[in-house]
Amino acid sequence: MSRNRAIGMLSIFAVATVSIFSFGIAATSVYAANDPLIDQQWGLTIIGARDVWSQSTGVGVTVAIIDSGSGPHPDLDANLILGHSFINGNESSDSADVDSHGTHVTGIVAAVNGNGIGISGVAPNARILSIRVFASGNENSNSEDIAKAITFAVDAGARVINLSLGGEVQVVRITDAVQYAVSKNVLVVAAAGNGGPDKPPSWPAADDNTIAVTAIKKDQTFTNFDRRGDYIDLSAPGDDILSTRTSEFTCSGFVPPALYGCSQGTSFAAPFVSGAAALLFAARPNLTVAQVRSLLMSTAIDLGSPGRDTTYGVGLLNLPAAFAALNALFPIVSNPMIAADGRVNSVVTGTTPTLAVSPQLQWYRCTSAGVVASAPPSGCAPITSAVALTYQMTVNDLRKFLRFA
């Protein structure tokens, strides 16, 4: 059986009345765009986030934001889980933001969609684990605190870690923590760094185990603050980015309401990729870090010089193309239905959803009910010549279970 078929189940007992069963993987409902600021979010549009919400909104995936904290904020609170802080060797559960940077990052990843206020995140149903590693907005973070935060995020169940921070020196303990994350199938996304093209590589973005993200403007060109280097992997929106804040910031062309504002920097490009990764992990929880990385990078829109370059990496994040590649690797399971009254000589009918190609059909006789599957479970045998939408039950089906693929 190919992976794009689901097998429906129907219990058959002599004269029992049988209900209609429906099994398979259902797509997530398309979200209504009733967040009043969503049309100001040019970044969502350019990466195609809204085009893939019918397939995934990040449900079931936790993204760790290791930053200045996050919230509280009315457009985030529903997606925030109990956070943590690592400040100068001290730990606590206080992860409230100290200067808006982390809140801005968090909103890009997972601001609540459809609540009638503000904006939407790339993965609006992802959960956010906020981990604060900055004592205040004007202080640097301790590298040991960052390493502990990464390890904590992995052990707490995060699938994606966002690091919108960095320095110009590789720190072994952070490198080791990133390696630990990858070994546990956790994707680490890092900002490629600001300061302009003459600056050296930023760490941990320069670590091969991270996805290093640089920033582009609305016209898909580089900004004057982007660093350069062969360590840069992907480009994402990072200029005049509207998101949640706990302090006021203005935007180009309009005045945002309180608790929202615009910022620029690779710090705000990285969370677009973190949100995109959350969507992929939610769509296919068994994906590996290597697979998600490949899906994101192999489908990017090439920018600048042909091929990978030191300015844009492989190019601009492209979610519709990433999901097209995902669905080619793992076809979406169809959702068959079965209708019958359960009597011998009665005709049972299998119904298929609308498919792009004509489906191959098969009825099976099984010794147990089993669960929905994309291949025939053990104890199921195909019924010879039962390859149409309908099948007439016989005495051979007594005390058996019919399944339709």
Side-chain angles (χ1 to χ4, degrees):
M1 299 290 293
S2 66
R3 288 173 294 186
N4 63 336
R5 301 179 199 162
I7 300 176
M9 181 274 288
L10 174 66
S11 302
I12 301 297
F13 294 100
V15 293
T17 300
V18 183
S19 302
I20 296 175
F21 291 80
S22 178
F23 298 90
I25 298 176
T28 306
S29 298
V30 178
Y31 271 37
N34 68 339
D35 296 293
L37 299 178
I38 197 168
D39 289 336
Q40 302 289 343
Q41 293 182 265
W42 70 269
L44 283 184
T45 301
I46 203 170
I47 68 168
R50 293 162 71 173
D51 296 330
V52 302
W53 285 344
S54 61
Q55 299 180 64
S56 177
T57 56
V59 175
V61 173
T62 297
V63 179
I65 306 293
I66 298 176
D67 212 290
S68 63
S70 184
H73 194 286
D75 219 357
L76 300 176
D77 292 345
N79 285 339
L80 291 175
I81 58 180
L82 181 64
H84 210 77
S85 70
F86 295 87
I87 307 294
N88 298 322
N90 298 312
E91 295 185 40
S92 78
S93 60
D94 179 14
S95 62
D97 199 357
V98 293
D99 78 339
S100 269
H101 187 277
T103 298
H104 203 80
V105 169
T106 301
I108 295 167
V109 176
V112 178
N113 181 287
N115 59 355
I117 63 171
I119 65 167
S120 175
V122 175
N125 272 3
R127 304 303 301 277
I128 296 296
L129 173 62
S130 173
I131 305 178
R132 183 160 70 94
V133 293
F134 293 93
S136 72
N138 296 321
E139 293 187 14
N140 292 324
S141 179
N142 184 303
S143 59
E144 186 171 347
D145 290 336
I146 295 173
K148 288 180 178 178
I150 293 170
T151 301
F152 178 87
V154 173
D155 294 342
R159 295 298 308 273
V160 183
I161 296 174
N162 188 93
L163 299 174
S164 289
L165 48 79
E168 295 179 0
V169 178
Q170 183 178 15
V171 179
V172 172
R173 60 175 63 91
I174 295 179
T175 299
D176 290 345
V178 170
Q179 176 61 48
Y180 175 70
V182 173
S183 74
K184 296 296 185 179
N185 202 34
V186 177
L187 184 71
V188 182
V189 179
N194 303 333
D198 297 327
K199 287 286 186 178
S202 177
W203 296 86
D207 188 330
D208 286 343
N209 281 315
T210 70
I211 294 182
V213 187
T214 194
I216 62 162
K217 298 185 291 187
K218 292 180 183 180
D219 62 3
Q220 301 185 31
T221 61
F222 59 84
T223 74
N224 58 8
F225 55 77
D226 288 331
R227 298 193 185 199
R228 305 287 190 274
D230 56 11
Y231 71 99
I232 293 171
D233 294 312
L234 269 173
S235 299
D239 182 58
D240 202 32
I241 301 300
L242 175 65
S243 188
T244 47
R245 299 197 65 84
T246 55
S247 60
E248 299 300 324
F249 263 71
T250 59
C251 300
S252 299
F254 78 104
V255 178
L259 301 181
Y260 297 89
C262 293
S263 291
Q264 63 180 17
T266 61
S267 283
F268 311 115
F272 280 96
V273 175
S274 293
L279 293 178
L280 290 169
F281 276 127
R284 288 284 174 177
N286 292 330
L287 286 172
T288 66
V289 164
Q291 287 173 320
V292 171
R293 182 187 185 99
S294 177
L295 286 166
L296 294 173
M297 294 184 62
S298 66
T299 58
I301 299 170
D302 192 20
L303 300 176
S305 302
R308 182 166 184 160
D309 58 60
T310 59
T311 300
Y312 299 101
V314 295
L316 173 62
L317 176 65
N318 183 356
L319 269 170
F323 269 81
L326 176 70
N327 293 333
L329 286 174
F330 305 100
I332 297 173
V333 176
S334 302
N335 199 10
M337 300 176 66
I338 301 172
D341 64 5
R343 297 174 183 272
V344 172
N345 295 323
S346 292
V347 174
V348 291
T349 302
T351 304
T352 63
T354 301
L355 300 175
V357 296
S358 298
Q360 295 178 352
L361 307 174
Q362 178 66 60
W363 290 90
Y364 290 81
R365 186 179 294 118
C366 306
T367 57
S368 62
V371 296
V372 64
S374 56
S378 60
C380 289
I383 301 173
T384 303
S385 300
V387 292
L389 284 174
T390 59
Y391 167 71
Q392 186 171 15
M393 291 182 290
T394 72
V395 293
N396 293 327
D397 300 314
L398 292 175
R399 305 285 190 264
K400 294 294 191 295
F401 298 85
L402 288 184
R403 303 191 73 162
F404 172 68

